[in-house]
Amino acid sequence: MAGNYGFLTTYPPTPCGVATFGAALRRHLIALEPDSCADVVRVVDQAGSPAPAEVVHDLVKGSPRSLVIAAELLNGFDVAIVQHDYDIYGGRDGEELLDLLDLLDVPVIVVLHTVLAQPSRHQRMVLTRVVERADAVVAMSDAAAQRLLDGYTMDPDKLLVIPHGAPADGLATAALARPRPTILTWGLLGPGKGIESAIAALPALRDLEPRYVVAGQTHPKVLARSGRSYYDSLRAHASALGVADLVDFIPSYLDPHSLGQLIRQARVVLLPYDSTEQVASGVLVEAIAARRPVVATRFPHAVEMLAGGCGLLIPHQDPAATSVALRRVLTEPGLAVAMTGRASALAPELRWPAVAERYRWLADSLLIAATRVPR
């Protein structure tokens, strides 16, 4: 029924997880309905950057005129799919989004990328008003949904859990044999990703001669603030610990094919994140969909996704525990095979065609509802 989708999101070539998510969801919704229209109102810091053909307007932070135009365009679609994260919209804690939502008169699906357990008073107010204004709210994990219900005021009947999507082919199938076991971390990188602790775990693994691959761009905000110094600090850290020969840095964006090849080389995916808040991790979902064993710190999404045996959980900032867990995956007979089997059971529902189908169903259900509350 819903054939025309309007997306409000950051968008490639902007290098961020929200942009990648929005582009993938758009692409797979179109694949489900080739005759459908799915255009993008792109959220940007400033106007003038190149845009793909599907971008029909730039919502510029701090520009009331661009906000009004964005609302007018989104009202021309059957359904608006709005990505929410505090730092992508203008105003304090992204509060400019509230003004735009007040102007929409089509059904609105809000997709939450961050749900804080201990928000500031203003952050709580902003998110409470966002979900109040939405016709449907998508959380990407049970942990995120429970946080919303426990800590925010919202109608539980609007809330739906749909997982973050992963590439349709799972990025990888059988692992490529390598003489050295490959440990892989990828994504946008910066302080807080825990790479320092991961590197500190390597001396205890030297007898295994692992190859630890750290792949991905420095987060744009970190790059703007400190340039290349973050990656330089990681290299210096590895050298100081005497493991520079065990670490390969790939400080650039990888296209899906190149990333898939890299994941196929991995014997284990390591997510050493410092955050105790993270309730949605695209990298975690992609690793499980690719049927790779995972070692991750105990952030909420990992606790939820790895409970069935797809991986091992470790304390935050604990190199000793990290090395023990990695050694188990790399050497313990049958463990990695069992993790792969459990990941295989989860993978189908995590891949983008299945995820996009759930968004299509949600959009259709909103349009079918004949007795919507007048705005």
Side-chain angles (χ1 to χ4, degrees):
M1 175 178 291
N4 297 303
Y5 304 92
F7 280 81
L8 179 64
T9 181
T10 56
Y11 203 71
T14 299
C16 76
V18 175
T20 303
F21 179 97
L25 178 56
R26 174 190 174 274
R27 184 168 66 251
H28 284 86
L29 280 172
I30 290 175
L32 290 174
E33 303 177 84
D35 294 332
S36 65
C37 172
D39 289 338
V40 177
V41 173
R42 181 178 62 168
V43 185
V44 296
D45 291 333
Q46 56 188 13
S49 58
E54 60 268 22
V55 173
V56 295
H57 177 65
D58 280 347
L59 172 59
V60 182
K61 294 180 182 179
S63 169
R65 174 163 174 74
S66 76
L67 187 146
V68 170
I69 295 172
E72 291 173 349
L73 288 168
L74 290 170
N75 279 331
F77 295 94
D78 295 327
V79 175
I81 300 178
V82 175
Q83 310 297 314
H84 177 267
D85 215 340
Y86 287 106
D87 62 354
I88 65 175
Y89 298 100
R92 182 182 171 195
D93 297 322
E95 64 185 351
E96 286 183 6
L97 175 60
L98 301 174
D99 295 329
L100 189 147
L101 291 175
D102 285 341
L103 297 175
L104 296 185
D105 54 23
V106 294
V108 174
I109 299 170
V110 170
V111 184
L112 302 180
H113 291 260
T114 298
V115 182
L116 298 174
Q118 295 181 317
S120 69
R121 183 176 179 180
H122 191 261
Q123 287 170 331
R124 188 188 304 276
M125 181 278 292
V126 169
L127 187 55
T128 297
R129 286 187 57 192
V130 166
V131 299
E132 180 182 69
R133 178 61 187 79
D135 296 280
V137 177
V138 174
M140 296 189 201
S141 66
D142 291 335
Q146 196 60 52
R147 275 190 185 178
L148 275 171
L149 295 174
D150 291 344
Y152 299 80
T153 302
M154 73 161 297
D155 179 359
D157 291 338
K158 314 183 169 179
L159 182 58
L160 187 68
V161 176
I162 302 178
H164 193 295
D169 60 1
L171 282 176
T173 51
L176 295 176
R178 284 289 183 271
R180 297 170 58 191
T182 297
I183 303 164
L184 174 63
T185 297
W186 84 89
L188 285 177
L189 302 179
K193 289 294 186 178
I195 309 301
E196 296 83 357
S197 292
I199 292 172
L202 296 177
L205 298 171
R206 179 166 283 284
D207 60 302
L208 302 179
E209 297 185 15
R211 173 183 177 235
Y212 179 39
V213 178
V214 180
Q217 292 174 291
T218 304
H219 193 285
K221 293 188 176 180
V222 177
L223 191 63
R225 185 171 62 248
S226 54
R228 298 172 56 89
S229 64
Y230 174 67
Y231 258 110
D232 291 343
S233 72
L234 293 179
R235 292 189 178 92
H237 185 50
S239 295
L241 293 174
V243 293
D245 60 315
L246 304 183
V247 186
D248 288 348
F249 293 104
I250 307 176
S252 59
Y253 171 80
L254 296 176
D255 62 73
H257 175 75
S258 299
L259 179 58
Q261 289 294 104
L262 189 59
I263 294 174
R264 289 192 68 199
Q265 298 173 24
R267 293 270 296 279
V268 58
V269 172
L270 176 60
L271 283 69
Y273 305 161
D274 293 341
S275 173
T276 59
E277 287 275 5
Q278 192 159 353
V279 290
S281 168
V283 172
L284 174 62
V285 170
E286 289 177 4
I288 293 172
R291 301 189 299 136
R292 288 293 169 269
V294 175
V295 171
T297 50
R298 299 184 66 87
F299 60 90
H301 199 194
V303 171
E304 180 178 319
M305 294 296 292
L306 302 184
C310 298
L312 299 177
L313 295 166
I314 54 175
H316 295 275
Q317 299 180 334
D318 190 333
T322 302
S323 62
V324 169
L326 290 170
R327 182 177 291 276
R328 286 191 62 197
V329 175
L330 295 174
T331 66
E332 189 172 311
L335 181 59
V337 172
M339 290 177 175
T340 297
R342 291 184 172 94
S344 296
L346 292 179
E349 69 184 48
L350 301 177
R351 291 178 181 154
W352 271 116
V355 170
E357 179 60 49
R358 294 185 66 181
Y359 276 93
R360 179 171 71 167
W361 172 87
L362 178 57
D364 286 349
S365 70
L366 293 179
L367 290 174
I368 290 170
T371 58
R372 297 181 64 242
V373 177
R375 302 202 188 282

